[in-house]
Amino acid sequence: MASLLPSSVALTGPLKPDLDFRKSTHIAIWPEKNPSFSHHRSYTTTTSERNYDSRSLDFREALSVLSEGAEVESAAYVPILEECIYRESVAEAQVVHAHIMKTGSHENLFLMTFLVNVYAKCGRMDYAHRVFDKLPRRNAVTWTSLMTGYVQNSQPELAIRVFQELLEAGAYPTIYTFGAVLNACTSLYSIQLGKQIHGYIIKYQIGYDTSVGNSLCSLYSKCHNFDSALKAFRSIPEKNVISWTTIISACGDNGQAMMGLVLFVEMLSGGAEFNEFTLTSVLSLCCMMPALIFGVQVHSLIIKIGYDANIPIKNSIMYLYLKSGRLVEARRLFDAMETISLVTWNAMIAGYAQMMNYSKDELIAQHSGTEALRIFLKLNRSSLKSDLYTFSSVLTVCGGMVALEQGEQVHAQTIKTGFLSDVIVGSALVNMYSKCGSVERAAKAFVEMSTRTLITWTSMITAYAQHGMSRQALQLFEDMRLAGVRPNKITFIGVFSACSHAGMVEEAMNYFEIMKNEYRIKPVVEHFACLIDMFVRLGKLEEAFDFIEKAEFEPNEFIWSILVAGCRSHGNMELGFYAAERLLELKPKDAETYVLLLNMYLSAGRLKDVSKVRKLMRERKIDKLKDWSSISLKDIVHSFRPDDRSHPQSIEIYKLLENLINKANDFGYVSHGALEMADEDDEAKPSTTIHHSERLAVVFGLLNMPRGASIRVIKSISICRDCHTLIKFISLYTNREIIIRDSKRLHQFNDGRCSCGDFGSMV
């Protein structure tokens, strides 16, 4: 970027303070020499303690007097203008402005500078600049007031232009001027411009001023130059609460959570003051790490100093407990609140939504989603109205629970409240319909969006890919490129996934080169996983292993699991055993991975390897698989375990299930069962489980849902091959769409086919 300072302009000599603004703030609003004002008392410009009704009366009387044309001292205008700011009333400010012009008080620079400030705070920068332009003379305070107004009204580029004009006019900036221009640079995320300002500050030796140091720290933080932000902070000799809060927040913005907590401890050790913003920043860092124990200690400190009633702090504590899985503590805080703001409602709903994502136990995730929906229902019954953040979180919950019925109700609310047009809500709606298996409605929501972001495009591309609609996914990707939207690495995961589902090797490798060469995106392990998945689906196992050897990356647990499952499915046990050895070297923690290995070794009769895997499971404390499935009906969640007979409709469920199995046998279905290990010894034996949980949930849906309605089931672990095959037959025989979201992917069964291409059921 070119230098900010024109070549014809130079700052020479020391900075000259302009003292025109440094006047007493104690003003006689009703001067004694004016008899019409004699019954009023004098008071200062700090009026936050006044009774509002009396203030309103005084204000109306003052405006009435001005309208009558009475003459007043220049100082008397200031409190009236302050009230205009309080009321955000441009019209009343104009009445005062007109009186100032009529009485000749516009010659008073202090008063006209204050008027610039009034219009700026009322959001009318055009009026503020008009007053500024008509001033016969200006000082640094006047320039700074106009610059600050532009920054506060989200016009930082104009603030920069005013600063350039200040320099060209030969005026001398003060520390407040530099603070304003640095804030403008921060708003523009312009580190180059900020560095030039920093150079001026160093040149005129005011870099150690606390407020300027704070602004520099904030600038470098927002521009993700953490080292410079920390250096600017360390250079402040007299750090105040803003200094500490700024650097602690900077740690959060730049992925330095541990450093932020260390600085907080340093702050406490030095006896520095802190405020609610400091504490909420620290609690946010505890969420990022996560650092529950540290957060609990901060909570104790908050109670000790009496900040526990502060709503933003309560929200932060509540969110920390939610993210750490401490649902009881979070709910206790929430239920104890006498007055609940919308921010608090949103924090609680978002917290439960986050719990769904972070929870490794599907049952806990399902419970978290149910609680989020209950809280949303309570919010709807309150006097408050949901906003875009509420709807976004709730739609995310509905998608995670495959709760289409509830998602449709939320969709209707977004239409009624007008939030559907918001891009955040629209993107959440696309995701919700996609995760519920309704890609057609997801596409409809996508098409109806007036504005689309990269996230929206990527969500829809991924939705098509996950539902086996590869051609549509790739066409949409090309449409996105034509629209001038630059894809990111997540977008290409969707593209490669689409190619994998359709076995489009040539297209996949072409897009791989486009990603690297045209968009300069470095491949990540998820990209390689999609390409290897593509080779495995096609049975090109040798090519998959060759690709791993040639590519410059280290295969992770997921990739080796794909190879093990693929080799087992295609009967290449030699390569499968090799992949299994590599997988075990990574010390996987996923119980399903060990079940996959056990089944493979058991099928091959390699009992020594079976014993080895079982020993590893004991040493690594791998839990047994917990198979359960759930289905939602009329806002009630029904859960099933394998061979579950506790449900009130068990007799009807098993009767219909046996009938469906018999019909499937007529279509050629043959049950292969599964192998498992006994709990007490290392011998293999056939599974004693007859019916896995998803079978019972699907049949329950057939019994209770309207004819033709789609059946949506959530399963805690991967669906086995035998159940996958049976449900394909059931979808064909009953002419039903059956959607099962297991721990790995979404399966959409239609007319005897599954969207996974029969590759998602190899365990």
Side-chain angles (χ1 to χ4, degrees):
M1 178 179 291
S3 174
L4 175 71
L5 188 65
S7 58
S8 60
V9 179
L11 288 175
T12 57
L15 293 174
K16 298 179 180 178
D18 198 317
L19 301 179
D20 285 3
F21 193 68
R22 305 179 187 277
K23 297 186 177 182
S24 172
T25 57
H26 189 276
I27 300 167
I29 183 170
W30 310 116
E32 291 292 333
K33 69 178 183 178
N34 192 326
S36 64
F37 292 3
S38 60
H39 61 284
H40 292 282
R41 59 185 177 84
S42 66
Y43 62 99
T44 67
T45 59
T46 303
T47 57
S48 60
E49 300 298 326
R50 287 180 295 166
N51 178 274
Y52 180 79
D53 291 337
S54 62
R55 179 171 69 183
S56 180
L57 179 62
D58 289 347
F59 181 65
R60 287 195 297 270
E61 289 181 6
L63 284 179
S64 176
V65 169
L66 294 181
S67 299
E68 293 171 0
E71 292 187 9
V72 298
E73 287 186 355
S74 298
Y77 291 111
V78 176
I80 305 174
L81 289 171
E82 281 185 330
E83 189 68 20
C84 293
I85 295 174
Y86 180 82
R87 295 166 177 263
E88 296 183 356
S89 174
V90 176
E92 290 167 336
Q94 287 179 307
V95 171
V96 181
H97 186 183
H99 195 273
I100 290 171
M101 300 301 294
K102 183 178 179 180
T103 59
S105 296
H106 61 281
E107 298 293 333
N108 186 308
L109 181 60
F110 164 76
L111 182 59
M112 297 309 287
T113 298
F114 197 83
L115 190 60
V116 170
N117 182 49
V118 171
Y119 281 132
K121 292 205 171 154
C122 290
R124 291 307 302 261
M125 287 307 300
D126 50 343
Y127 291 173
H129 209 138
R130 197 174 301 161
V131 172
F132 177 84
D133 286 340
K134 291 181 179 179
L135 292 175
R137 62 190 182 92
R138 300 159 185 156
N139 59 18
V141 177
T142 314
W143 287 97
T144 303
S145 294
L146 186 64
M147 289 170 54
T148 302
Y150 277 124
V151 174
Q152 292 173 344
N153 285 275
S154 303
Q155 296 174 285
E157 64 285 347
L158 295 181
I160 299 293
R161 186 181 302 171
V162 172
F163 182 68
Q164 290 175 312
E165 292 172 0
L166 175 151
L167 298 178
E168 292 169 352
Y172 291 91
T174 67
I175 56 175
Y176 305 106
T177 315
F178 281 119
V181 74
L182 284 170
N183 289 338
C185 294
T186 302
S187 298
L188 292 168
Y189 297 95
S190 177
I191 193 169
Q192 295 90 347
L193 201 55
K195 285 181 177 179
Q196 291 184 44
I197 304 298
H198 194 177
Y200 297 155
I201 292 169
I202 293 172
K203 181 177 180 180
Y204 294 104
Q205 301 177 356
I206 61 171
Y208 293 112
D209 178 82
T210 300
S211 63
V212 173
N214 293 343
S215 296
L216 283 169
C217 182
S218 178
L219 166 70
Y220 287 124
S221 167
K222 296 299 181 185
C223 294
H224 300 293
N225 189 334
F226 180 72
D227 290 340
S228 295
L230 187 60
K231 187 176 180 181
F233 169 77
R234 294 296 185 193
S235 299
I236 303 172
E238 296 182 9
K239 301 175 180 66
N240 59 17
V241 63
I242 297 175
S243 311
W244 286 102
T245 303
T246 300
I247 191 61
I248 290 171
S249 298
C251 292
D253 294 337
N254 291 272
Q256 300 286 339
M258 178 58 78
M259 172 67 78
L261 298 184
V262 170
L263 286 167
F264 180 62
V265 173
E266 181 184 331
M267 175 186 180
L268 295 179
S269 301
E273 293 183 0
F274 52 86
N275 58 22
E276 65 175 273
F277 304 105
T278 319
L279 294 170
T280 53
S281 296
V282 171
L283 289 167
S284 177
L285 296 178
C286 293
C287 286
M288 289 174 61
M289 290 194 59
L292 177 62
I293 295 175
F294 193 97
V296 171
Q297 293 175 342
V298 174
H299 188 185
S300 299
L301 173 65
I302 288 166
I303 294 171
K304 182 179 179 180
I305 62 178
Y307 266 115
D308 51 313
N310 182 281
I311 296 300
I313 289 177
K314 260 190 174 181
N315 290 340
S316 298
I317 297 169
M318 191 174 67
Y319 197 73
L320 169 65
Y321 284 138
L322 280 169
K323 197 167 183 182
S324 302
R326 303 285 284 269
L327 300 178
V328 176
E329 289 87 343
R331 192 58 183 264
R332 188 183 296 124
L333 282 170
F334 179 77
D335 292 337
M337 292 183 181
E338 295 181 5
T339 303
I340 305 177
S341 68
L342 182 59
V343 174
T344 306
W345 285 102
N346 287 346
M348 198 67 184
I349 295 170
Y352 275 114
Q354 286 288 333
M355 275 297 299
M356 293 183 68
N357 294 331
Y358 289 114
S359 177
K360 295 180 180 179
D361 189 323
E362 286 288 335
L363 191 58
I364 294 176
Q366 187 81 353
H367 172 74
S368 299
T370 302
E371 284 301 309
L373 293 181
R374 285 176 181 166
I375 293 170
F376 177 62
L377 183 61
K378 287 184 179 180
L379 171 59
N380 283 339
R381 291 171 179 168
S382 73
S383 59
L384 298 174
K385 301 296 182 183
S386 300
D387 63 6
L388 65 96
Y389 302 107
T390 319
F391 288 125
S392 175
S393 294
V394 173
L395 287 169
T396 300
V397 169
C398 292
M401 297 179 67
V402 197
L404 180 63
E405 184 179 346
Q406 291 87 342
E408 289 174 331
Q409 293 171 9
V410 178
H411 185 181
Q413 278 189 258
T414 64
I415 296 172
K416 184 178 179 180
T417 56
F419 282 107
L420 183 60
S421 59
D422 186 271
V423 67
I424 295 175
V425 176
S427 298
L429 192 65
V430 170
N431 271 323
M432 184 275 292
Y433 279 127
S434 171
K435 290 182 178 180
C436 289
S438 183
V439 69
E440 296 82 6
R441 294 187 200 183
K444 186 174 185 293
F446 175 81
V447 170
E448 291 175 352
M449 291 181 70
S450 57
T451 305
R452 302 183 185 100
T453 64
L454 172 61
I455 294 174
T456 315
W457 285 96
T458 300
S459 297
M460 195 63 232
I461 291 168
T462 304
Y464 277 135
Q466 290 176 341
H467 288 79
M469 304 173 71
S470 300
R471 293 292 178 186
Q472 291 90 329
L474 298 182
Q475 181 58 57
L476 189 62
F477 176 68
E478 293 300 334
D479 291 343
M480 184 188 83
R481 295 177 69 193
L482 286 173
V485 179
R486 183 182 178 85
N488 63 9
K489 62 182 181 182
I490 308 297
T491 315
F492 276 103
I493 292 174
V495 170
F496 295 141
S497 179
C499 294
S500 172
H501 275 77
M504 302 165 69
V505 178
E506 185 177 342
E507 290 85 347
M509 301 314 295
N510 181 46
Y511 282 125
F512 190 71
E513 294 302 318
I514 289 174
M515 179 184 73
K516 291 191 300 180
N517 300 326
E518 183 175 339
Y519 293 106
R520 304 295 179 185
I521 297 174
K522 185 178 180 180
V524 295
V525 69
E526 288 81 6
H527 298 143
F528 294 118
C530 290
L531 297 175
I532 290 168
D533 180 73
M534 173 183 66
F535 287 123
V536 171
R537 283 174 181 269
L538 295 171
K540 297 183 177 182
L541 302 176
E542 297 286 352
E543 287 90 333
F545 280 91
D546 288 342
F547 184 79
I548 290 175
E549 290 181 5
K550 293 176 182 178
E552 296 179 358
F553 79 103
E554 193 68 31
N556 62 6
E557 177 183 331
F558 179 67
I559 289 176
W560 287 120
S561 296
I562 291 174
L563 290 166
V564 171
C567 292
R568 178 172 175 246
S569 176
H570 293 294
N572 192 329
M573 303 307 288
E574 183 179 350
L575 284 177
F577 292 138
Y578 171 79
E581 292 294 331
R582 303 291 79 75
L583 179 59
L584 288 175
E585 289 174 1
L586 295 178
K587 298 181 180 180
K589 294 294 183 182
D590 182 19
E592 290 187 51
T593 301
Y594 287 94
V595 173
L596 172 64
L597 294 173
L598 280 174
N599 278 326
M600 186 179 71
Y601 287 135
L602 285 167
S603 299
R606 295 178 54 158
L607 299 184
K608 288 185 179 181
D609 289 316
V610 168
S611 299
K612 176 184 175 183
V613 172
R614 280 181 55 79
K615 182 180 179 182
L616 287 173
M617 291 178 70
R618 286 193 295 268
E619 291 174 351
R620 297 171 186 174
K621 298 179 180 180
I622 305 299
D623 294 330
K624 293 183 66 177
L625 289 178
K626 296 177 182 179
D627 174 22
W628 65 267
S629 295
S630 66
I631 182 171
S632 179
L633 181 66
K634 296 180 180 178
D635 295 333
I636 298 175
V637 177
H638 300 262
S639 298
F640 298 89
R641 297 188 303 272
D643 291 337
D644 194 347
R645 293 185 180 272
S646 62
H647 196 277
Q649 289 183 266
S650 288
I651 295 175
E652 296 96 317
I653 289 172
Y654 279 93
K655 183 178 179 180
L656 178 56
L657 179 55
E658 293 302 327
N659 182 48
L660 289 170
I661 291 174
N662 291 332
K663 295 293 185 183
N665 290 334
D666 295 338
F667 279 98
Y669 165 69
V670 178
S671 177
H672 296 288
L675 293 172
E676 64 179 16
M677 292 304 303
D679 290 334
E680 303 299 332
D681 53 55
D682 288 338
E683 293 183 4
K685 69 174 185 178
S687 172
T688 57
T689 300
I690 299 174
H691 299 302
H692 288 158
S693 61
E694 67 271 32
R695 296 187 182 190
L696 305 179
V698 167
V699 174
F700 172 81
L702 290 171
L703 285 170
N704 293 280
M705 300 190 73
R707 184 180 297 275
S710 298
I711 295 171
R712 290 174 168 81
V713 172
I714 295 178
K715 182 173 169 64
S716 61
I717 61 175
S718 295
I719 186 171
C720 72
R721 286 188 293 178
D722 195 47
C723 290
H724 190 272
T725 303
L726 175 62
I727 293 172
K728 285 201 301 181
F729 281 117
I730 293 175
S731 74
L732 179 63
Y733 177 73
T734 60
N735 195 28
R736 290 278 195 128
E737 179 184 56
I738 301 172
I739 296 166
I740 298 179
R741 215 275 319 279
D742 68 12
S743 62
K744 301 296 183 185
R745 55 173 52 83
L746 184 137
H747 302 266
Q748 190 171 19
F749 299 91
N750 273 303
D751 300 323
R753 293 187 297 273
C754 180
S755 59
C756 75
D758 293 342
F759 190 76
S761 57
M762 292 186 175
V763 175

